[in-house]
Amino acid sequence: MEAVEKKARTKNPLGYQPIGRLLMKFAIPSVISMLVNAVYNIVDQIFIGQGVGYLGNAATTVAFPIVTIILAVGTMLGAGGSAYAAIKLGEKKDDEAENTLGNVFILLVVIGIVLTVIGLVFLDPILTIFGATPKNMGYARDYAGIILIGTVFNLLGIGLSNMARTDGSPNIAMMSMVTGALLNCVLDPVYIFVFHWGVKGAAIATITSQIIATIILVYYFMKKGNMRLRFDHMKPNGIIIKAAFSLGISSCITQLSSTILQIVLNNSLVYYGDQTSVTGDVALSAMGIVMKVSMIIISICIGIGIGAQPILGFNKGANQPKRIKKTYRIASNVATGVTALGWAMFMLIPHIILMLFGSTDENFTNFAIKAMRIYDLGVFTAGFQITSTSYFQATGQPMKASILSSLRQLLLLIPLIIILPMSFGLDGILYAGPVADISSAIIVFFFIHHEMKKLDVQIANEAGDELGVFDDEVKTA
């Protein structure tokens, strides 16, 4: 009877359907979407490695911070806006949720234009800061310049995908991303090998794919979405903008931390790599591939966390602590299983993974295998950490989410990359990875353990209230 009453009260399936089924419905499309986002870069690396060589891959590694900055902004507004919209939907305030969609859309467009102009005007100095060398600067300039032209579409694709999941249509988000990825896979070899456009071809293929993905999402919200994209909802609303920024800032910090990390890492690899027989360009190219392969595993976990957010946010608004806890537990366990599997692959078959990238240079291959085994030694902890951060973000705790988002990369890994090589040279950069992973996991555990205890108290109080109501009914009867 209680379940029927709750269903009647909530109506939205996020409030009453089985958690496992809901998580599959939302997480699988989210995982596919995140994987596709990672595949955009991986596919470019594979075809550039085959068609241009390791210098081309080094150039995309140099340009990658630009991609992560765009991803940071898109994820911040998309995740923050969708978290706020999910809470409002749980509170039955559908009009506020629709206003959130309009505000997120216009913010993504305006910020995208600003980023494009700044990036193109200061492209060479930016690439120099990001670790470009005289050998790869030309390639980096060609790739990054074209990627910047597609910034608005890239941002809209990322942001609107998050909003589509909260709108109850994770399959639309997935379809847009998959369509773009398939197009990218087709265009990459055509532009690189048939038209001989090199890294420019890879970049053109990428932004073309992003434009198509964005068109699908915009059409959905204009014609079919439960939340509709309307001009009268695009008028800036200070409360919504503030909420979107505050709830999404942890996601932004995560990505910006990746950007800062990439800049420090690129420059450190070049500096310490040139002091060894490995050389800076080889170290830069190899670590770029290692980190992007790792991002496949991380992307799956981020997708699980994103898929769980609408469920967590809605049930937070509907005050259902039991469902909140169950959602977190399932998401965290699945994500940890994924990272454990990824860890096993990185440790046991790195040479097979690296064969995809086409380099026959023995120096490159040997260092890449070593880098993957050492740098990813602690990757098995990533799933638990990512889903924990997603939990705090979705339940309206931006401060905790922000602290945990910045912990691993900004507060631990970057200082370690600077400090350890002073004593251990190039190897110190590699060992910074597992030290940061395991240390941050321990800290995250204490945060989430305390949170689970708070949920247990709420669940116990809810059970006590229900028992009291039952006793009153017995006495009345």
Side-chain angles (χ1 to χ4, degrees):
M1 180 62 71
E2 177 67 21
V4 174
E5 289 176 355
K6 277 191 174 181
K7 180 175 178 177
R9 287 199 307 269
T10 58
K11 293 183 181 178
N12 192 311
L14 291 172
Y16 66 84
Q17 279 190 0
I19 296 299
R21 186 191 306 169
L22 279 173
L23 199 53
M24 285 185 65
K25 177 184 176 183
F26 281 86
I28 290 176
S30 300
V31 166
I32 292 172
S33 297
M34 291 304 302
L35 277 174
V36 167
N37 204 40
V39 164
Y40 274 120
N41 295 298
I42 289 290
V43 168
D44 283 353
Q45 293 267 198
I46 291 172
F47 286 117
I48 288 172
Q50 299 283 350
V52 180
Y54 74 84
L55 281 177
N57 276 331
T60 61
T61 301
V62 168
F64 195 63
I66 293 174
V67 177
T68 57
I69 289 171
I70 295 170
L71 185 59
V73 175
T75 304
M76 175 178 64
L77 293 174
S82 63
Y84 185 70
I87 291 171
K88 292 304 169 184
L89 289 171
E91 295 173 349
K92 311 298 183 192
K93 298 178 180 177
D94 294 359
D95 194 54
E96 288 191 40
E98 198 164 80
N99 282 332
T100 302
L101 171 64
N103 273 246
V104 167
F105 180 87
I106 199 67
L107 281 171
L108 289 168
V109 172
V110 171
I111 293 174
I113 293 171
V114 172
L115 288 177
T116 299
V117 172
I118 293 173
L120 291 175
V121 170
F122 300 103
L123 184 57
D124 278 13
I126 288 171
L127 292 175
T128 300
I129 293 170
F130 289 174
T133 67
K135 289 184 179 179
N136 63 48
M137 173 60 92
Y139 291 126
R141 187 187 298 118
D142 289 343
Y143 187 82
I146 294 170
I147 291 295
L148 280 165
I149 293 171
T151 299
V152 170
F153 296 100
N154 196 354
L155 283 177
L156 285 172
I158 296 165
L160 293 181
S161 291
N162 281 277
M163 297 301 295
R165 296 182 193 103
T166 295
D167 195 47
S169 299
N171 288 332
I172 291 295
M174 177 185 70
M175 184 181 73
S176 68
M177 297 296 288
V178 169
T179 301
L182 291 175
L183 183 60
N184 191 44
C185 289
V186 172
L187 294 179
D188 255 335
V190 173
Y191 291 165
I192 293 174
F193 299 114
V194 179
F195 293 171
H196 303 292
W197 289 350
V199 294
K200 285 184 179 179
I204 293 170
T206 296
I207 66 169
T208 303
S209 305
Q210 290 166 351
I211 291 170
I212 298 302
T214 300
I215 290 172
I216 292 172
L217 288 164
V218 170
Y219 176 81
Y220 165 77
F221 278 116
M222 291 184 70
K223 301 294 184 181
K224 297 183 177 181
N226 297 310
M227 294 186 292
R228 289 298 175 91
L229 193 58
R230 311 176 200 272
F231 286 109
D232 55 336
H233 288 150
M234 293 182 188
K235 183 179 179 181
N237 181 309
I239 294 174
I240 292 174
I241 292 172
K242 181 180 178 181
F245 274 99
S246 64
L247 290 174
I249 193 66
S250 64
S251 295
C252 182
I253 289 172
T254 300
Q255 296 300 332
L256 286 179
S257 297
S258 297
T259 304
I260 297 170
L261 167 62
Q262 192 74 53
I263 295 168
V264 173
L265 182 61
N266 288 353
N267 284 280
S268 296
L269 287 167
V270 170
Y271 178 78
Y272 289 102
D274 280 339
Q275 295 180 20
T276 69
S277 59
V278 174
T279 76
D281 280 305
V282 168
L284 192 64
S285 178
M287 274 298 289
I289 290 172
V290 168
M291 292 188 72
K292 287 180 182 177
V293 170
S294 303
M295 271 306 297
I296 293 179
I297 301 299
I298 301 301
S299 293
I300 295 174
C301 298
I302 293 173
I304 293 170
I306 290 173
Q309 283 186 346
I311 309 170
L312 292 166
F314 183 92
N315 286 286
K316 172 70 173 178
N319 193 29
Q320 298 195 65
K322 192 179 295 185
R323 291 177 64 79
I324 294 172
K325 182 176 181 179
K326 188 172 183 180
T327 301
Y328 168 75
R329 283 289 174 86
I330 295 174
S332 182
N333 289 340
V334 173
T336 299
V338 169
T339 51
L341 178 61
W343 176 87
M345 293 174 62
F346 297 152
M347 297 304 108
L348 297 175
I349 56 168
H351 53 290
I352 295 176
I353 297 171
L354 291 165
M355 283 172 59
L356 292 171
F357 298 90
S359 179
T360 56
D361 186 287
E362 185 177 355
N363 190 30
F364 169 87
T365 303
N366 290 339
F367 180 75
I369 290 173
K370 178 181 179 181
M372 185 170 287
R373 282 181 169 152
I374 297 176
Y375 190 79
D376 287 330
L377 193 60
V379 77
F380 63 89
T381 66
F384 155 71
Q385 296 186 63
I386 290 167
T387 49
S388 297
T389 302
S390 294
Y391 167 86
F392 287 113
Q393 183 179 35
T395 54
Q397 302 180 69
M399 182 60 71
K400 290 180 182 178
S402 299
I403 292 171
L404 297 183
S405 295
S406 62
L407 180 63
R408 188 255 180 188
Q409 297 188 125
L410 196 61
L411 302 181
L412 291 173
L413 186 54
I414 292 173
L416 287 168
I417 287 175
I418 295 171
I419 295 168
L420 291 183
M422 294 178 182
S423 300
F424 303 103
L426 189 59
D427 286 351
I429 298 174
L430 306 184
Y431 283 107
V435 173
D437 284 334
I438 295 170
S439 300
S440 59
I442 293 170
I443 296 170
V444 170
F445 172 78
F446 286 108
F447 272 84
I448 202 67
H449 180 66
H450 177 70
E451 190 69 17
M452 291 300 107
K453 280 190 169 184
K454 284 168 59 179
L455 284 178
D456 286 337
V457 171
Q458 293 178 38
I459 293 168
N461 290 339
E462 187 181 74
D465 291 341
E466 290 177 359
L467 182 61
V469 171
F470 176 76
D471 288 343
D472 290 342
E473 290 176 350
V474 171
K475 289 175 183 179
T476 302

